[in-house]
Amino acid sequence: VFLSFENAECIVSKDEIPHTKKPLQLLYRPTSDEVAGNIGKLENGQEFDAISLAYGGNLVSVTNEHYGPAAQVLSPYVPLSMHDGFESARSRVKGHKEILVVGLGSPHVVHRVELDFTFFVNNNPRSVQVYGRTAKDDSDWVELVKETNVKAYAGNWKAFNIAYPEELCELKLVAIPDGGVNRVKAFSYYNAHGTKRKHDEL
């Protein structure tokens, strides 16, 4: 028997909220010694992910972490779910965008950026932009990837070749209008005698 609306009571449930039986992400937080060890294993000229947490990459800022810690987007491990990466809350505001800024472990020339949408089969961004910033004082953001529609890459990944020849210290991913990505990678060539590596040297 249901009480009338006037006589109904609001009762807070005392039942425990159930937890998942498997982790939604494997949080990866390497120590400085681990990072140094990983870098020490790189060979001169070897391609590597310059923003990976494993090589000293870091999350600088993010506009929205509604579904989980956005730093996971830099994890070297394969994603486990939609919650394993960067995913924002939905917005219906015209012109809305979400911004993720990440730092490279050290300045490098980036020649390719990859976005992994493995678990975002319906809710990856409609389009993205990628910017880079050099280590120079007060340097402006430089557009590396113009606004590109990536909706067709839901559940897949998209790579962008980068032709900018200068060393970058930060990258900015703009997701339009919202959505998520499991992993962001920025590839460079390791140079044991200095970070700068021109495209035509290899």
Short mmCIF file of all heavy atoms in Angstrom, two decimals, residues 110-147:
data_model
loop_
_atom_site.label_atom_id
_atom_site.label_comp_id
_atom_site.label_asym_id
_atom_site.label_seq_id
_atom_site.Cartn_x
_atom_site.Cartn_y
_atom_site.Cartn_z
N VAL A 110 58.01 16.97 -30.57
CA VAL A 110 56.96 15.95 -30.70
C VAL A 110 56.61 15.78 -32.18
O VAL A 110 56.35 16.75 -32.88
CB VAL A 110 55.70 16.36 -29.91
CG1 VAL A 110 54.55 15.39 -30.16
CG2 VAL A 110 56.03 16.43 -28.41
N HIS A 111 56.63 14.54 -32.66
CA HIS A 111 56.32 14.31 -34.08
C HIS A 111 54.99 13.59 -34.31
O HIS A 111 54.54 13.49 -35.45
CB HIS A 111 57.45 13.54 -34.76
CG HIS A 111 57.68 12.17 -34.21
ND1 HIS A 111 58.63 11.90 -33.25
CD2 HIS A 111 57.08 10.98 -34.49
CE1 HIS A 111 58.61 10.61 -32.97
NE2 HIS A 111 57.67 10.04 -33.69
N ARG A 112 54.37 13.09 -33.25
CA ARG A 112 53.07 12.42 -33.41
C ARG A 112 52.31 12.44 -32.09
O ARG A 112 52.88 12.21 -31.03
CB ARG A 112 53.27 10.97 -33.87
CG ARG A 112 51.96 10.27 -34.25
CD ARG A 112 52.17 8.89 -34.86
NE ARG A 112 52.52 7.86 -33.89
CZ ARG A 112 53.75 7.41 -33.68
NH1 ARG A 112 54.76 7.87 -34.38
NH2 ARG A 112 53.98 6.47 -32.78
N VAL A 113 51.01 12.71 -32.19
CA VAL A 113 50.11 12.65 -31.04
C VAL A 113 49.05 11.61 -31.33
O VAL A 113 48.48 11.59 -32.43
CB VAL A 113 49.44 14.02 -30.76
CG1 VAL A 113 48.34 13.89 -29.71
CG2 VAL A 113 50.48 15.04 -30.31
N GLU A 114 48.79 10.73 -30.37
CA GLU A 114 47.79 9.68 -30.54
C GLU A 114 46.72 9.80 -29.45
O GLU A 114 47.03 10.03 -28.28
CB GLU A 114 48.42 8.29 -30.47
CG GLU A 114 49.33 7.98 -31.64
CD GLU A 114 49.87 6.55 -31.61
OE1 GLU A 114 49.50 5.80 -30.67
OE2 GLU A 114 50.67 6.20 -32.48
N LEU A 115 45.46 9.61 -29.85
CA LEU A 115 44.32 9.61 -28.93
C LEU A 115 43.67 8.24 -28.98
O LEU A 115 43.31 7.76 -30.05
CB LEU A 115 43.31 10.69 -29.33
CG LEU A 115 43.83 12.12 -29.46
CD1 LEU A 115 42.70 13.05 -29.88
CD2 LEU A 115 44.47 12.60 -28.16
N ASP A 116 43.51 7.63 -27.82
CA ASP A 116 42.93 6.29 -27.71
C ASP A 116 41.52 6.40 -27.13
O ASP A 116 41.34 6.80 -25.98
CB ASP A 116 43.83 5.43 -26.80
CG ASP A 116 43.34 4.00 -26.65
OD1 ASP A 116 42.21 3.71 -27.09
OD2 ASP A 116 44.07 3.18 -26.08
N PHE A 117 40.51 6.03 -27.93
CA PHE A 117 39.11 6.09 -27.52
C PHE A 117 38.53 4.69 -27.29
O PHE A 117 37.33 4.48 -27.45
CB PHE A 117 38.26 6.78 -28.59
CG PHE A 117 38.70 8.19 -28.94
CD1 PHE A 117 39.24 8.47 -30.19
CD2 PHE A 117 38.56 9.22 -28.03
CE1 PHE A 117 39.62 9.75 -30.53
CE2 PHE A 117 38.94 10.51 -28.36
CZ PHE A 117 39.48 10.78 -29.62
N THR A 118 39.35 3.73 -26.92
CA THR A 118 38.94 2.33 -26.86
C THR A 118 37.58 2.10 -26.22
O THR A 118 36.72 1.41 -26.76
CB THR A 118 40.00 1.49 -26.11
OG1 THR A 118 41.22 1.54 -26.85
CG2 THR A 118 39.55 0.04 -25.97
N PHE A 119 37.35 2.67 -25.03
CA PHE A 119 36.10 2.41 -24.30
C PHE A 119 35.06 3.51 -24.50
O PHE A 119 34.00 3.46 -23.89
CB PHE A 119 36.39 2.20 -22.81
CG PHE A 119 37.03 0.87 -22.52
CD1 PHE A 119 38.40 0.77 -22.36
CD2 PHE A 119 36.28 -0.29 -22.43
CE1 PHE A 119 39.01 -0.45 -22.10
CE2 PHE A 119 36.87 -1.51 -22.19
CZ PHE A 119 38.24 -1.60 -22.01
N PHE A 120 35.36 4.47 -25.35
CA PHE A 120 34.41 5.53 -25.62
C PHE A 120 33.74 5.26 -26.97
O PHE A 120 34.06 5.89 -27.98
CB PHE A 120 35.10 6.90 -25.59
CG PHE A 120 35.55 7.28 -24.21
CD1 PHE A 120 36.83 6.97 -23.76
CD2 PHE A 120 34.68 7.91 -23.34
CE1 PHE A 120 37.23 7.28 -22.48
CE2 PHE A 120 35.07 8.24 -22.04
CZ PHE A 120 36.35 7.92 -21.62
N VAL A 121 32.82 4.33 -26.94
CA VAL A 121 32.18 3.89 -28.18
C VAL A 121 31.02 4.80 -28.59
O VAL A 121 30.57 4.74 -29.74
CB VAL A 121 31.69 2.43 -28.07
CG1 VAL A 121 32.85 1.48 -27.90
CG2 VAL A 121 30.72 2.28 -26.89
N ASN A 122 30.53 5.61 -27.68
CA ASN A 122 29.45 6.54 -27.99
C ASN A 122 29.73 7.96 -27.53
O ASN A 122 29.13 8.91 -28.03
CB ASN A 122 28.13 6.09 -27.35
CG ASN A 122 27.61 4.79 -27.93
OD1 ASN A 122 27.48 4.67 -29.15
ND2 ASN A 122 27.32 3.82 -27.08
N ASN A 123 30.62 8.12 -26.56
CA ASN A 123 30.77 9.42 -25.93
C ASN A 123 32.19 9.98 -26.00
O ASN A 123 32.65 10.62 -25.07
CB ASN A 123 30.29 9.37 -24.47
CG ASN A 123 30.90 8.22 -23.71
OD1 ASN A 123 31.59 7.39 -24.29
ND2 ASN A 123 30.65 8.17 -22.42
N ASN A 124 32.88 9.73 -27.12
CA ASN A 124 34.11 10.47 -27.34
C ASN A 124 33.73 11.88 -27.83
O ASN A 124 32.58 12.13 -28.21
CB ASN A 124 34.99 9.75 -28.36
CG ASN A 124 34.35 9.62 -29.72
OD1 ASN A 124 33.16 9.32 -29.83
ND2 ASN A 124 35.11 9.85 -30.78
N PRO A 125 34.66 12.83 -27.83
CA PRO A 125 34.31 14.20 -28.26
C PRO A 125 33.86 14.23 -29.72
O PRO A 125 34.23 13.37 -30.52
CB PRO A 125 35.62 14.97 -28.08
CG PRO A 125 36.42 14.15 -27.09
CD PRO A 125 36.05 12.73 -27.36
N ARG A 126 33.10 15.27 -30.05
CA ARG A 126 32.75 15.46 -31.46
C ARG A 126 33.99 15.85 -32.26
O ARG A 126 34.23 15.35 -33.35
CB ARG A 126 31.68 16.56 -31.59
CG ARG A 126 31.22 16.79 -33.03
CD ARG A 126 30.31 17.98 -33.15
NE ARG A 126 31.04 19.23 -32.99
CZ ARG A 126 30.75 20.16 -32.09
NH1 ARG A 126 29.74 19.99 -31.26
NH2 ARG A 126 31.46 21.27 -32.01
N SER A 127 34.81 16.74 -31.66
CA SER A 127 36.03 17.17 -32.33
C SER A 127 37.08 17.54 -31.28
O SER A 127 36.76 17.73 -30.11
CB SER A 127 35.76 18.35 -33.27
OG SER A 127 35.21 19.44 -32.55
N VAL A 128 38.32 17.64 -31.73
CA VAL A 128 39.42 17.98 -30.83
C VAL A 128 40.36 18.98 -31.49
O VAL A 128 40.39 19.10 -32.72
CB VAL A 128 40.24 16.74 -30.40
CG1 VAL A 128 39.39 15.74 -29.65
CG2 VAL A 128 40.91 16.10 -31.61
N GLN A 129 41.11 19.67 -30.66
CA GLN A 129 42.22 20.51 -31.10
C GLN A 129 43.40 20.18 -30.20
O GLN A 129 43.22 19.80 -29.04
CB GLN A 129 41.89 22.00 -30.94
CG GLN A 129 40.80 22.52 -31.87
CD GLN A 129 40.37 23.92 -31.46
OE1 GLN A 129 39.80 24.12 -30.39
NE2 GLN A 129 40.63 24.90 -32.31
N VAL A 130 44.62 20.33 -30.73
CA VAL A 130 45.82 20.10 -29.93
C VAL A 130 46.75 21.30 -30.09
O VAL A 130 46.99 21.76 -31.21
CB VAL A 130 46.56 18.81 -30.36
CG1 VAL A 130 47.81 18.61 -29.48
CG2 VAL A 130 45.64 17.60 -30.26
N TYR A 131 47.24 21.79 -28.95
CA TYR A 131 48.16 22.92 -28.94
C TYR A 131 49.44 22.52 -28.20
O TYR A 131 49.42 21.59 -27.39
CB TYR A 131 47.54 24.13 -28.24
CG TYR A 131 46.34 24.72 -28.93
CD1 TYR A 131 45.07 24.18 -28.71
CD2 TYR A 131 46.46 25.81 -29.78
CE1 TYR A 131 43.95 24.72 -29.34
CE2 TYR A 131 45.36 26.35 -30.41
CZ TYR A 131 44.10 25.81 -30.19
OH TYR A 131 43.01 26.33 -30.81
N GLY A 132 50.51 23.23 -28.48
CA GLY A 132 51.76 23.00 -27.77
C GLY A 132 52.35 24.32 -27.30
O GLY A 132 52.04 25.38 -27.84
N ARG A 133 53.18 24.23 -26.27
CA ARG A 133 53.85 25.43 -25.76
C ARG A 133 55.31 25.11 -25.48
O ARG A 133 55.64 24.05 -24.94
CB ARG A 133 53.16 25.92 -24.48
CG ARG A 133 53.70 27.24 -23.97
CD ARG A 133 52.70 28.00 -23.15
NE ARG A 133 52.25 27.27 -21.96
CZ ARG A 133 51.27 27.72 -21.18
NH1 ARG A 133 50.65 28.85 -21.47
NH2 ARG A 133 50.91 27.02 -20.12
N THR A 134 56.19 26.02 -25.86
CA THR A 134 57.63 25.82 -25.67
C THR A 134 58.02 26.22 -24.25
O THR A 134 57.21 26.76 -23.49
CB THR A 134 58.45 26.63 -26.67
OG1 THR A 134 58.31 28.03 -26.37
CG2 THR A 134 57.98 26.37 -28.11
N ALA A 135 59.27 25.96 -23.92
CA ALA A 135 59.76 26.26 -22.57
C ALA A 135 60.15 27.73 -22.41
O ALA A 135 60.53 28.15 -21.32
CB ALA A 135 60.95 25.37 -22.25
N LYS A 136 60.05 28.49 -23.49
CA LYS A 136 60.41 29.91 -23.40
C LYS A 136 59.44 30.64 -22.48
O LYS A 136 58.26 30.32 -22.42
CB LYS A 136 60.38 30.55 -24.80
CG LYS A 136 61.37 29.93 -25.78
CD LYS A 136 61.19 30.50 -27.17
CE LYS A 136 62.11 29.83 -28.16
NZ LYS A 136 61.89 30.30 -29.56
N ASP A 137 59.96 31.65 -21.77
CA ASP A 137 59.12 32.41 -20.84
C ASP A 137 57.97 33.08 -21.59
O ASP A 137 58.15 33.69 -22.65
CB ASP A 137 59.96 33.48 -20.14
CG ASP A 137 60.97 32.87 -19.17
OD1 ASP A 137 60.75 31.71 -18.76
OD2 ASP A 137 61.97 33.53 -18.86
N ASP A 138 56.77 32.97 -21.02
CA ASP A 138 55.57 33.62 -21.57
C ASP A 138 55.28 33.22 -23.01
O ASP A 138 54.75 34.02 -23.79
CB ASP A 138 55.70 35.15 -21.48
CG ASP A 138 55.89 35.64 -20.05
OD1 ASP A 138 55.23 35.07 -19.15
OD2 ASP A 138 56.69 36.55 -19.84
N SER A 139 55.64 32.01 -23.39
CA SER A 139 55.37 31.55 -24.75
C SER A 139 53.88 31.30 -24.93
O SER A 139 53.18 30.88 -24.01
CB SER A 139 56.15 30.27 -25.07
OG SER A 139 55.72 29.21 -24.25
N ASP A 140 53.37 31.59 -26.12
CA ASP A 140 51.96 31.40 -26.42
C ASP A 140 51.72 29.97 -26.88
O ASP A 140 52.64 29.26 -27.30
CB ASP A 140 51.52 32.36 -27.52
CG ASP A 140 51.57 33.82 -27.08
OD1 ASP A 140 51.29 34.08 -25.89
OD2 ASP A 140 51.89 34.67 -27.93
N TRP A 141 50.45 29.56 -26.80
CA TRP A 141 50.08 28.25 -27.31
C TRP A 141 50.12 28.27 -28.84
O TRP A 141 49.64 29.20 -29.48
CB TRP A 141 48.68 27.87 -26.85
CG TRP A 141 48.58 27.52 -25.40
CD1 TRP A 141 48.05 28.27 -24.41
CD2 TRP A 141 49.02 26.31 -24.78
NE1 TRP A 141 48.13 27.62 -23.20
CE2 TRP A 141 48.72 26.40 -23.40
CE3 TRP A 141 49.64 25.16 -25.25
CZ2 TRP A 141 49.02 25.41 -22.49
CZ3 TRP A 141 49.95 24.14 -24.36
CH2 TRP A 141 49.63 24.27 -23.00
N VAL A 142 50.71 27.23 -29.42
CA VAL A 142 50.80 27.09 -30.87
C VAL A 142 49.89 25.95 -31.30
O VAL A 142 49.93 24.86 -30.71
CB VAL A 142 52.26 26.78 -31.31
CG1 VAL A 142 52.33 26.53 -32.81
CG2 VAL A 142 53.19 27.90 -30.89
N GLU A 143 49.06 26.18 -32.30
CA GLU A 143 48.15 25.13 -32.77
C GLU A 143 48.94 24.06 -33.52
O GLU A 143 49.62 24.35 -34.50
CB GLU A 143 47.08 25.71 -33.69
CG GLU A 143 46.02 24.69 -34.09
CD GLU A 143 44.95 25.27 -34.99
OE1 GLU A 143 45.30 25.71 -36.11
OE2 GLU A 143 43.78 25.29 -34.57
N LEU A 144 48.86 22.83 -33.03
CA LEU A 144 49.53 21.70 -33.67
C LEU A 144 48.56 20.88 -34.51
O LEU A 144 48.94 20.34 -35.55
CB LEU A 144 50.16 20.79 -32.60
CG LEU A 144 51.13 21.45 -31.62
CD1 LEU A 144 51.60 20.43 -30.59
CD2 LEU A 144 52.32 22.06 -32.35
N VAL A 145 47.31 20.79 -34.05
CA VAL A 145 46.26 20.07 -34.76
C VAL A 145 45.03 20.97 -34.79
O VAL A 145 44.50 21.32 -33.74
CB VAL A 145 45.90 18.74 -34.08
CG1 VAL A 145 44.74 18.06 -34.80
CG2 VAL A 145 47.11 17.82 -34.02
N LYS A 146 44.62 21.40 -35.99
CA LYS A 146 43.42 22.23 -36.09
C LYS A 146 42.20 21.41 -35.69
O LYS A 146 42.26 20.17 -35.64
CB LYS A 146 43.27 22.78 -37.50
CG LYS A 146 43.03 21.72 -38.56
CD LYS A 146 42.91 22.35 -39.94
CE LYS A 146 42.63 21.29 -41.00
NZ LYS A 146 42.50 21.91 -42.35
N GLU A 147 41.10 22.08 -35.43
CA GLU A 147 39.89 21.37 -34.99
C GLU A 147 39.54 20.28 -36.00
O GLU A 147 39.37 20.54 -37.19
CB GLU A 147 38.72 22.32 -34.83
CG GLU A 147 37.48 21.62 -34.29
CD GLU A 147 36.32 22.54 -33.99
OE1 GLU A 147 36.55 23.77 -33.91
OE2 GLU A 147 35.19 22.04 -33.83
#
